[in-house]
Amino acid sequence: MNFFPALVLLLPQVLCADSTFQPLGSAFKYPVATFQGFSARVAFSNLTAPRGITFDANQNLLVVERGFGITALTQVTSPAAGWNRTVVIESPDFTQGIQIDGRNLYASTGSAVWVFQYDIATKSVATTPPFVLVDGLPSDGRRTTAVLVATAPLEDPDPLARDSSTGRSTIRRFPVPAPSSSGYHFNDGQTVAYGIRNPTGFAFNPNAPRDSAKHLFVVDNAAELSANITKFSTVFAVSNPADELQHVQYAVENDNTIPPPRFYGYPDCATVWDPQADPSNVPSFLGTHKGTQFSVGLNQTRDDVWCSNATNNVPPVLSFEVCAT
């Protein structure tokens, strides 16, 4: 792959392989509920703001610890059953995005997607300078994700997210390898979706039809309902709107066959999680159900009817209980 080298001074880092151990059996800080047939247990405690995860070919779990760096968690049986935590790269600049493709370790900062040469045996990266695959990401937003690059809003609510050209709350695609040694600028990417507030996880459907379209599933953290909108009460906003799983389909053939990106709701539309959260003060949702699309009331033309039309707003394929922050 051809990428262009970047000054290491732009990404202060310490390359090391320090390791710590945690035995199995640690308790959750808060109760965790699981669906029937599933279980959950703590792998490692006291991580620094863990945001992004991926597995390498040896099933080491690589974690972006925002504000600290990238670490690798490995299941071990000695000195007891548990997990070893190895520091792969120590740098405060990583935000969330992480992926591995062979020896290439992709990780995002607030303004770029970096590529490191990763050694799976030692869980470390080469001392040679990393390369930039994509630069020019909006650096004043909240978080970014690679290698499909996603951006979050500048503020909540962010009206710029209504426009796919602004790069706010969008997902853009950058083919690898880059067509030249100069890599990409963020504006060069193919926008595949917009109006997805805070895309925090990507997964492709391995069983999708073998056609020219890609089938991408995206976890999206919903926005908080504004206290300035009188149709919602504080009690209702505790459990609404729902977080979402979006299904994004996009073409990867010749440019003239690529359809315009579709809009996924943010900042105008949201998803009901608990319609009975506050029946006395917010009775308008009684009779609706989980997954119902509704308007948050920012724009008079984008009302409940507009948001319920899938031509205007692609609804999620699954809704989740709202993330507590």
Side-chain angles (χ1 to χ4, degrees):
M1 296 183 184
N2 295 319
F3 308 106
F4 66 95
L7 294 177
V8 179
L9 292 178
L10 296 177
L11 186 67
Q13 58 180 324
V14 176
L15 310 180
C16 52
D18 293 336
S19 180
T20 54
F21 169 77
Q22 178 170 306
L24 298 180
S26 298
F28 285 103
K29 186 175 182 179
Y30 301 102
V32 173
T34 59
F35 188 73
Q36 183 178 359
F38 290 83
S39 62
R41 63 184 182 184
V42 174
F44 218 94
S45 306
N46 301 316
L47 300 178
T48 303
R51 295 298 306 177
I53 60 175
T54 191
F55 286 95
D56 67 19
N58 284 350
Q59 296 301 299
N60 299 304
L61 178 61
L62 273 68
V63 182
V64 176
E65 298 189 40
R66 187 155 50 102
F68 175 77
I70 296 175
T71 55
L73 304 182
T74 306
Q75 283 192 283
V76 295
T77 57
S78 177
W83 293 77
N84 270 341
R85 172 181 175 269
T86 303
V87 179
V88 180
I89 309 171
E90 187 173 342
S91 170
D93 297 322
F94 296 116
T95 52
Q96 179 167 308
I98 185 170
Q99 190 57 266
I100 292 180
D101 177 17
R103 283 185 52 83
N104 294 314
L105 170 60
Y106 302 84
S108 66
T109 64
S111 60
V113 177
W114 295 76
V115 185
F116 298 83
Q117 291 299 297
Y118 175 69
D119 187 329
I120 193 172
T122 61
K123 290 168 286 187
S124 63
V125 293
T127 57
T128 54
F131 298 88
V132 169
L133 175 62
V134 183
D135 71 351
L137 276 64
S139 58
D140 51 356
R142 295 191 176 189
R143 303 180 186 94
T144 56
T145 307
V147 168
L148 280 169
V149 182
T151 58
L154 173 61
E155 56 187 357
D156 262 332
D158 189 349
L160 293 177
R162 297 186 182 115
D163 184 351
S164 63
S165 68
T166 64
R168 296 295 179 192
S169 295
T170 65
I171 299 175
R172 293 188 178 179
R173 172 181 174 267
F174 299 87
V176 176
S180 70
S181 60
S182 60
Y184 295 103
H185 187 275
F186 183 65
N187 292 337
D188 299 331
Q190 171 198 347
T191 300
V192 300
Y194 69 109
I196 299 182
R197 175 183 172 266
N198 186 19
T200 56
F202 293 156
F204 284 99
N205 179 4
N207 299 316
R210 292 183 176 274
D211 52 22
S212 61
K214 293 292 186 181
H215 296 261
L216 174 70
F217 289 94
V218 182
V219 176
D220 185 15
N221 288 147
E224 295 182 5
L225 295 178
S226 173
N228 299 323
I229 302 174
T230 57
K231 66 184 285 189
F232 308 117
S233 68
T234 302
V235 173
F236 183 83
V238 168
S239 52
N240 291 282
D243 288 345
E244 302 171 339
L245 181 67
Q246 309 284 11
H247 179 203
V248 176
Q249 298 184 61
Y250 62 93
V252 294
E253 299 299 327
N254 296 330
D255 288 347
N256 59 4
T257 70
I258 297 175
R262 300 192 68 187
F263 178 67
Y264 286 78
Y266 179 80
D268 299 296
C269 308
T271 301
V272 172
W273 174 254
D274 183 2
Q276 302 184 40
D278 191 2
S280 298
N281 295 307
V282 189
S284 59
F285 288 91
L286 297 177
T288 65
H289 55 82
K290 283 184 175 69
T292 297
Q293 298 297 285
F294 67 95
S295 171
V296 300
L298 299 176
N299 185 312
Q300 290 184 351
T301 63
R302 298 190 173 192
D303 55 13
D304 289 342
V305 174
W306 190 93
C307 288
S308 298
N309 186 335
T311 302
N312 304 324
N313 163 44
V314 181
V317 294
L318 188 65
S319 54
F320 305 100
E321 186 172 7
V322 62
C323 173
T325 57

